[in-house]
Amino acid sequence: MPDIFTEFKVKDLSIKNRVVMPAMCMYSSDESGQVRDFHLLHYTTRAMGGTGLIILEATAVERRGRISGNDLGIWEDSQIEGLKKLVDEVHRDGAKIGIQLAHAGRKNETFEDVIAPSPLLFNLKYRTPREMTQEDITAVIEAFGRAALRALKAGFDYIELHGAHGYLINEFLSPVTNERKDGYGGGAANRVRLLKEVTAKVREHWPEEKPLGLRVSAYEYEAGGNTPEDVSFMINLVKDEGIDLINVSSGGVVDSPIEVFPGYQIRYGTEVKSKTNLPVIVGGLLEHHHMANEIIRNNRGDLIFLGRELLRNPYWVLQASRKLGMEEVVWPRQYEKAKGNKLMR
Ligand SMILES: Cc1cc2nc3c(=O)[nH]c(=O)nc-3n(C[C@H](O)[C@H](O)[C@H](O)COP(=O)(O)O)c2cc1C
């Protein structure tokens, strides 16, 4: 029976344990979108702390696809070098690293061209987006493709498409934000079309043996919004384009309140897992090692993500290995003396 310290394999990627750091925007770059010293320190600390897979924060495939003016970017070749350095340093510390390719759509706060499937406002903090033309759609698909090639050149192990939290792909998937009358709007088969075309384009550049993931908002906390059943249906329409892993989140599509509690999204993940037959990353307010382990041991998900807990405690995995008595877990050589209580001189 697997537990959080069991290796996980998907395509050519082997992850040493089941603990994932999900994408978390750090808003620590600038207009250039380049990797800064902060990013190197931040991500390598989590790698030294034993995290199996680190997913780099939402990284914009187009300048107008940024959330803020401080997002990381992968919209031009000059950004590859910094990303490659980050990948190499995280690898040196024993973790695998993926990148979340993102387009903010109507949740772009940078006061550039704001685009979305339909001209609907999220809330007063944002501007009303312009309805995308076919030209815009083609440009976005191409941008995802070029970003995938850059991610390959930078050496990433994994790509995750950001299809959650009300950003551009999610805006197409959701009936609440997509009122298009063309082939990209209407029924689920049309709403998933942008994602399908993005996936196919990414797969032209991202080799078949490398895993490609998708983050979804499986529940929208809004009448008429997508449910785990709807989202699973759409994943099943697109997975043959080459999707290997689903990272199950929720919300962010509309500005409605979410009632959170430890494990609040796990049931959505388990449902998506059973309805799509794809492995899932699940999480949401996870903190306790026994609870994290229970999810894997009961097969409610294949991997768990720890977001804010890994911001609080980059050494969560090493500490969990002590608490769970997992002596065989390998610690960084420099920290080995902290593994047990016996003082070795
Ligand atoms: C500071 C911060 C930034 C985030 N940025 C992203 C992001 O870039 N992409 C994404 O998919 N989710 C993002 N999220 C959501 C997290 O990945 C995660 O789903 C959420 O925090 C819930 O997990 P937790 O309760 O373990 O923190 C962010 C969350 C936080 C706290």
Side-chain angles (χ1 to χ4, degrees):
M1 185 190 290
D3 59 43
I4 52 170
F5 289 101
T6 308
E7 188 183 25
F8 182 78
K9 287 190 179 153
V10 52
K11 293 270 181 82
D12 73 353
L13 174 62
S14 298
I15 307 168
K16 66 184 174 188
N17 58 45
R18 305 297 178 102
V19 182
V20 177
M21 179 181 184
M24 283 184 285
C25 289
M26 291 289 107
Y27 305 117
S28 296
S29 185
D30 50 38
E31 282 298 315
S32 71
Q34 295 274 357
V35 169
R36 296 292 174 215
D37 287 349
F38 167 81
H39 300 102
L40 298 175
L41 186 65
H42 172 65
Y43 289 106
T44 54
T45 308
R46 275 73 199 168
M48 288 200 73
T51 308
L53 173 67
I54 290 171
I55 303 176
L56 188 64
E57 63 201 78
T59 303
V61 300
E62 274 194 326
R63 275 185 72 82
R64 66 177 169 179
R66 293 175 298 166
I67 301 167
S68 80
N70 298 100
D71 291 19
L72 282 181
I74 188 162
W75 65 78
E76 60 189 26
D77 288 349
S78 66
Q79 290 157 337
I80 297 173
E81 192 185 335
L83 291 167
K84 182 168 188 329
K85 183 163 188 221
L86 179 60
V87 167
D88 291 346
E89 296 211 359
V90 165
H91 280 162
R92 195 197 50 211
D93 292 327
K96 296 293 164 63
I97 181 165
I99 182 168
Q100 187 180 57
L101 298 185
H103 195 299
R106 71 174 181 168
K107 286 171 123 180
N108 162 347
E109 301 164 16
T110 63
F111 300 103
E112 288 175 20
D113 187 21
V114 182
I115 55 171
S118 303
L120 303 167
L121 185 67
F122 180 75
N123 67 22
L124 292 174
K125 192 177 144 200
Y126 297 87
R127 280 165 310 146
T128 304
R130 171 172 78 69
E131 178 173 317
M132 288 169 77
T133 61
Q134 179 61 53
E135 238 178 16
D136 295 316
I137 291 176
T138 306
V140 164
I141 293 168
E142 292 292 331
F144 270 98
R146 284 192 299 273
L149 181 60
R150 293 186 188 109
L152 183 69
K153 288 182 177 167
F156 283 99
D157 303 299
Y158 172 65
I159 285 181
E160 178 176 275
L161 300 175
H162 197 348
H165 305 159
Y167 296 106
L168 188 70
I169 291 176
N170 197 176
E171 288 161 22
F172 275 83
L173 297 178
S174 173
V176 177
T177 45
N178 182 347
E179 296 184 346
R180 295 182 76 89
K181 302 282 177 263
D182 61 5
Y184 292 92
N190 277 3
R191 298 198 312 275
V192 82
R193 190 166 152 201
L194 176 81
L195 173 61
K196 199 168 181 174
E197 292 177 1
V198 164
T199 307
K201 184 55 75 180
V202 164
R203 273 297 182 195
E204 283 178 22
H205 301 282
W206 187 245
E208 204 192 317
E209 62 276 14
K210 283 186 162 285
L212 175 63
L214 170 68
R215 194 160 214 208
V216 292
S217 279
Y219 191 63
E220 296 183 355
Y221 307 95
E222 177 75 6
N226 281 328
T227 63
E229 192 169 354
D230 302 322
V231 170
S232 302
F233 179 78
M234 289 190 279
I235 292 170
N236 286 334
L237 292 177
V238 78
K239 67 183 178 191
D240 288 346
E241 298 293 338
I243 303 257
D244 305 298
L245 183 61
I246 308 294
N247 186 345
V248 182
S249 188
S250 65
V253 181
V254 288
D255 198 8
S256 48
I258 305 178
E259 195 199 328
V260 296
F261 54 89
Y264 67 103
Q265 300 170 137
I266 305 298
R267 64 188 191 280
Y268 308 140
T270 309
E271 189 172 342
V272 170
K273 178 176 165 65
S274 76
K275 291 204 159 90
T276 64
N277 279 323
L278 286 173
V280 292
I281 312 175
V282 299
L285 267 189
L286 297 184
E287 185 171 339
H288 200 279
H289 53 284
H290 280 313
M291 185 169 174
N293 216 21
E294 174 275 319
I295 291 165
I296 302 297
R297 299 201 77 171
N298 279 322
N299 198 26
R300 301 205 291 149
D302 299 276
L303 298 130
I304 53 124
F305 67 77
L306 296 174
R308 286 160 292 180
E309 182 56 17
L310 278 175
L311 295 185
R312 286 187 286 265
N313 178 7
Y315 302 102
W316 188 93
V317 174
L318 299 182
Q319 289 173 351
S321 78
R322 269 169 63 85
K323 289 174 188 159
L324 293 168
M326 306 294 289
E327 280 171 24
E328 61 279 21
V329 169
V330 178
W331 281 49
R333 178 181 55 79
Q334 298 89 336
Y335 298 171
E336 255 167 15
K337 285 186 178 158
K339 196 170 172 180
N341 291 333
K342 214 169 117 203
L343 204 51
M344 292 169 287
R345 291 206 167 82

